[in-house]
Amino acid sequence: MKLGAFLMPAHPRYRSLHDGHYHDLDTLQYLDRSGFDEAWIGEHYMMPAEPCPSPDLLIAQAILLTKKIKLATGAFMLPFHHPAELAHRICWLDHISNGRLMVGIGASGTTLDLEMFNIDHKAGVHREMTAESIEIMTRFWNSPGPFEYRGKYWTVRRPADQMDKCSGYHLKPHQSPHPPIGVTGLSASSATLKIAGRNGWIPISFCFTPQYLHTHWQVVEEGAALSGRVTPSRDMWRVSRPIVVAETDTQAWKLAVEGEMGRYFREDYLPMIAGNNALGLFKHHPDVADSEVTVEYCAKHCWLLGSQATVRERIEEMQSLSGGFGVLHVMGFDHLEELLPIRDSYRALQEIVATHFA
């Protein structure tokens, strides 16, 4: 098992965009020094609690300040970008990172983001646009010569080179055939993760209720079988979860529930999920009432908290319930006011994984 991080990135609303950005940048440097293998960075527009609209800007700066850690968008929301332009930006990042880039892609589930771009999400247009966009981008990356693509949402061309005029298509990815692509899934038997299996992409599970984690890998295998692919290796499977490690279980609970992670869930994340009628994603049993899904409930059933011994046991439980996975992601939250204890938590988690699971 390897260790990574998934940064939304989340910040309290009083945090300035400047301070939040440089806190994220400092966190990526710390994760690189601490031996984390990778970090994924989200993209949002109309979410004040997750205010980063350009993960590639953060990645471009982090490339210069880190040495080994792989950096990934988590994810580019493809309906919001022209695929020809984004294909070139990804190639550029792949080269300047010297191949340390991975690319998460998504259709966006944020209603206001989709409405801002005038995308009819109720009719599933954002999913159709995502499929068309990735087809166009891979066409650019893999094409040996000129082509024209006429789709439902975009028409693009790779014109014939005119080298006598010093013009032509030249920006191919550094990695062959392109940087690894990943997608995230949350619900049981996630349809998104079945798409990952069909295309050979990296599956990333957001794990709040590990009881159904095994269904995520089942649909990855089903997707691979549908497209005639060889059964994928579990080493490529990422599982992301809120994790806090402290000297004792009580200290970890207090740091998580009373700290910034608890505040984020209490004031931002749980209200957003409730507004989308999706609190079932957090329930360890379907009979649990929505009113019972509180921060304390999440701390008990959804988060991974405790001493090193407790966290080690909980990771072993996740492996047993899932059948095994390759990379554990800690979900990262703003911790400027809790810098030392959260950094100690990251370091302890790295020791647990390196000692007992590597």
Side-chain angles (χ1 to χ4, degrees):
M1 182 190 295
K2 296 179 181 178
L3 182 62
F6 201 109
L7 281 63
M8 268 62 82
H11 297 287
R13 301 185 193 190
Y14 62 78
R15 182 81 66 224
S16 72
L17 297 179
H18 173 279
D19 291 350
H21 175 82
Y22 283 97
H23 176 41
D24 294 333
L25 193 58
D26 179 64
T27 299
L28 292 172
Q29 290 180 266
Y30 179 82
L31 297 176
D32 181 53
R33 293 195 304 269
S34 300
F36 278 59
D37 192 70
E38 62 189 45
W40 298 67
I41 299 146
E43 172 188 286
H44 298 286
Y45 292 85
M46 299 287 284
M47 293 181 65
E50 300 177 16
C52 178
S54 303
D56 47 337
L57 292 180
L58 181 58
I59 288 172
Q61 289 184 295
I63 287 167
L64 302 174
L65 299 172
T66 58
K67 296 180 179 179
K68 295 182 179 180
I69 192 168
K70 299 180 186 71
L71 300 166
T73 59
F76 278 130
M77 298 303 165
L78 298 190
F80 306 153
H81 304 277
H82 193 290
E85 183 266 349
L86 186 58
H88 281 72
R89 268 168 51 203
I90 289 170
C91 285
W92 188 256
L93 277 176
D94 196 25
H95 280 274
I96 66 175
S97 70
N98 201 30
R100 281 197 284 142
L101 181 72
M102 297 182 290
V103 179
I105 61 171
S108 180
T110 306
T111 302
L112 288 185
D113 282 2
L114 291 159
E115 290 181 0
M116 183 176 71
F117 285 92
N118 194 34
I119 295 171
D120 187 358
H121 55 89
K122 293 180 180 179
V125 168
H126 56 315
R127 296 187 182 91
E128 293 177 356
M129 295 179 74
T130 297
E132 187 171 302
S133 175
I134 191 63
E135 186 173 350
I136 291 170
M137 289 198 295
T138 53
R139 180 78 69 88
F140 272 104
W141 295 334
N142 300 331
S143 65
F147 68 84
E148 178 177 86
Y149 181 101
R150 290 188 174 272
K152 184 176 180 180
Y153 302 100
W154 291 283
T155 294
V156 300
R157 300 174 186 85
R158 176 182 162 177
D161 296 342
Q162 298 181 20
M163 298 315 297
D164 57 322
K165 299 179 182 178
C166 300
S167 298
Y169 181 73
H170 63 93
L171 198 52
K172 289 283 191 175
H174 177 79
Q175 300 175 77
S176 180
H178 50 71
I181 295 172
V183 294
T184 59
L186 178 56
S187 59
S189 301
S190 166
T192 305
L193 297 183
K194 181 175 286 189
I195 294 172
R198 293 188 70 159
N199 290 278
W201 296 340
I202 295 169
I204 307 169
S205 297
F206 279 5
C207 176
F208 292 118
T209 47
Q211 287 80 4
Y212 64 67
L213 193 56
H214 66 284
T215 69
H216 282 191
W217 190 253
Q218 287 175 355
V219 296
V220 171
E221 291 184 325
E222 289 171 10
L226 286 171
S227 62
R229 291 182 175 273
V230 175
T231 301
S233 168
R234 286 177 177 266
D235 289 346
M236 70 186 302
W237 186 17
R238 275 73 170 165
V239 176
S240 300
R241 198 170 186 189
I243 305 171
V244 172
V245 187
E247 288 190 13
T248 67
D249 293 355
T250 301
Q251 289 174 337
W253 177 281
K254 182 179 178 64
L255 180 59
V257 172
E258 299 180 13
E260 173 56 25
M261 192 166 90
R263 184 217 60 80
Y264 166 76
F265 269 78
R266 186 178 298 109
E267 298 180 14
D268 295 305
Y269 199 59
L270 287 179
M272 179 189 70
I273 297 297
N276 289 313
N277 298 314
L279 286 174
L281 295 170
F282 296 93
K283 297 177 182 180
H284 74 291
H285 192 280
D287 292 341
V288 174
D290 284 0
S291 60
E292 295 181 40
V293 184
T294 63
V295 168
E296 289 74 17
Y297 177 92
C298 290
K300 180 178 180 180
H301 295 285
C302 307
W303 303 346
L304 206 166
L305 312 175
S307 66
Q308 287 204 33
T310 298
V311 169
R312 174 188 173 184
E313 291 174 2
R314 299 288 298 280
I315 295 174
E316 289 173 344
E317 178 188 36
M318 288 172 64
Q319 284 195 313
S320 176
L321 289 171
S322 68
F325 53 91
V327 184
L328 175 65
H329 283 172
V330 56
M331 291 185 182
F333 303 92
D334 187 297
H335 56 281
L336 265 177
E337 275 81 45
E338 306 159 335
L339 199 64
L340 291 180
I342 295 299
R343 297 281 167 96
D344 286 345
S345 173
Y346 288 157
R347 184 164 51 250
L349 182 60
Q350 196 278 337
E351 291 174 1
I352 293 168
V353 172
T355 302
H356 300 288
F357 299 99

